[in-house]
Amino acid sequence: MREYSPDLTPQWKRAKAVPEVPADPGLVVEVAGTGFCGAVVACEAGTVTLEDRFGKRRVFPLEPRGFLLEGAVVTLTRPSRAPAAPARTASGSVAVPGARARVARAGRIYVEGRHDAELVERVWGDDLRIEGVVVEYLEGIDDLAAVVAEFAPGPDARLGVLVDHLVPGSKESRIAASVTSPDVLVVGHPYVDVWQAVKPSALGIAAWPRVPRGQDWKTGVCRALGWPEHTGAAWQHILSRVTSYRDLEPTLLGRVEELIDFVTAP
């Protein structure tokens, strides 16, 4: 039988018990002895990842008495259960439950046509309402220079324009080049029509059909795919198959995100 051995360490030398706190996402702590302060973004395999206010992330071991919470020493522990993944908008952004639409900004995003506007709304609508960004369609960009002049963009009223078929040597590229205001950003995708920005896999087709030059592109697509030659109904079918950013080509995703960032920049 092992003999009882009393702890003869003086009471004043004994380490005081400290609270154990679950490292739940969002908890803000300071790492003892380092001065690094950040919010918990992950906790796994005996480590915790903190992100400071500048977005810098560092990983620290979950050591006893290793952190300060509101100035008091604590021991971080793994959360008792994994946190639920945050809800996401169709664009992939973190959803903000109950958020009200912001009053519309003076800045705008213009797109070429109604289908473009409906697709942007489908994927980025929640984000645009929170940011207070209005999207309008132009029914073509032939008069873009006049449209920009009438809008009268400025530092507090930026204008973003999304153009179809913006490729070198195209009519669209020449029109876009005529707009030189620093408060206007004109970007585009390479597709003949925004329909093509929807991934074929979202529609269950192998690829978008090639339509002979001189033939109406949308009608040609319907004909090649065996759809009724009713382009309005065809578009509604296409739009219904878009549920998130994953259904769109990266070349469109990047351009729309770029425009949103431009018109909402402080």
Side-chain angles (χ1 to χ4, degrees):
M1 177 180 297
R2 179 177 298 178
E3 294 184 0
Y4 170 71
S5 177
D7 185 356
L8 300 180
T9 305
Q11 186 70 31
W12 61 273
K13 284 190 175 182
R14 297 180 187 178
K16 295 181 180 179
V18 300
E20 293 187 348
V21 179
D24 293 324
L27 178 72
V28 177
V29 294
E30 180 181 338
V31 183
T34 70
F36 186 89
C37 183
V40 174
V41 293
C43 184
E44 55 187 6
T47 63
V48 62
T49 302
L50 304 180
E51 181 179 287
D52 70 9
R53 62 193 182 94
F54 302 107
K56 181 179 181 181
R57 294 189 178 190
R58 292 179 59 183
V59 180
F60 299 93
L62 285 176
E63 294 180 343
R65 307 171 60 86
F67 303 87
L68 302 179
L69 178 61
E70 297 181 352
V73 177
V74 298
T75 295
L76 290 187
T77 62
R78 295 190 66 178
S80 56
R81 62 179 182 177
R88 299 279 176 175
T89 67
S91 71
S93 302
V94 175
V96 183
R100 294 184 178 181
R102 177 174 173 164
V103 175
R105 295 173 182 266
R108 291 286 189 274
I109 291 177
Y110 287 166
V111 297
E112 282 206 45
R114 181 170 58 86
H115 293 179
D116 306 69
E118 289 176 345
L119 187 60
V120 169
E121 164 62 26
R122 182 83 168 188
V123 176
W124 288 274
D126 290 337
D127 309 71
L128 293 168
R129 278 182 283 279
I130 288 176
E131 294 290 351
V133 178
V134 175
V135 174
E136 300 178 9
Y137 65 90
L138 301 173
E139 296 184 341
I141 63 163
D142 288 350
D143 298 322
L144 183 60
V147 169
V148 170
E150 182 179 356
F151 182 83
D156 296 324
R158 291 182 167 187
L159 178 62
V161 184
L162 180 68
V163 177
D164 296 343
H165 198 230
L166 189 60
V167 297
S170 67
K171 177 190 74 172
E172 290 82 1
S173 67
R174 292 190 293 273
I175 293 173
S178 69
V179 178
T180 58
S181 168
D183 299 306
V184 180
L185 176 64
V186 182
V187 299
H189 57 74
Y191 309 115
V192 173
D193 190 274
V194 77
W195 287 20
Q196 286 181 293
V198 178
K199 290 181 177 178
S201 57
L203 300 170
I205 60 177
W208 285 100
R210 297 178 65 88
V211 178
R213 185 181 295 273
Q215 185 179 139
D216 178 73
W217 188 85
K218 292 176 181 176
T219 302
V221 165
C222 293
R223 187 175 299 135
L225 294 176
W227 295 351
E229 294 181 19
H230 187 307
T231 58
W235 169 243
Q236 291 306 313
H237 168 68
I238 294 167
L239 188 62
S240 72
R241 303 301 294 270
V242 176
T243 59
S244 80
Y245 70 97
R246 296 182 180 87
D247 298 317
L248 301 183
E249 298 288 357
T251 43
L252 176 67
L253 294 174
R255 301 296 74 75
V256 175
E257 296 285 352
E258 191 176 352
L259 290 176
I260 294 174
D261 289 345
F262 180 77
V263 300
T264 59

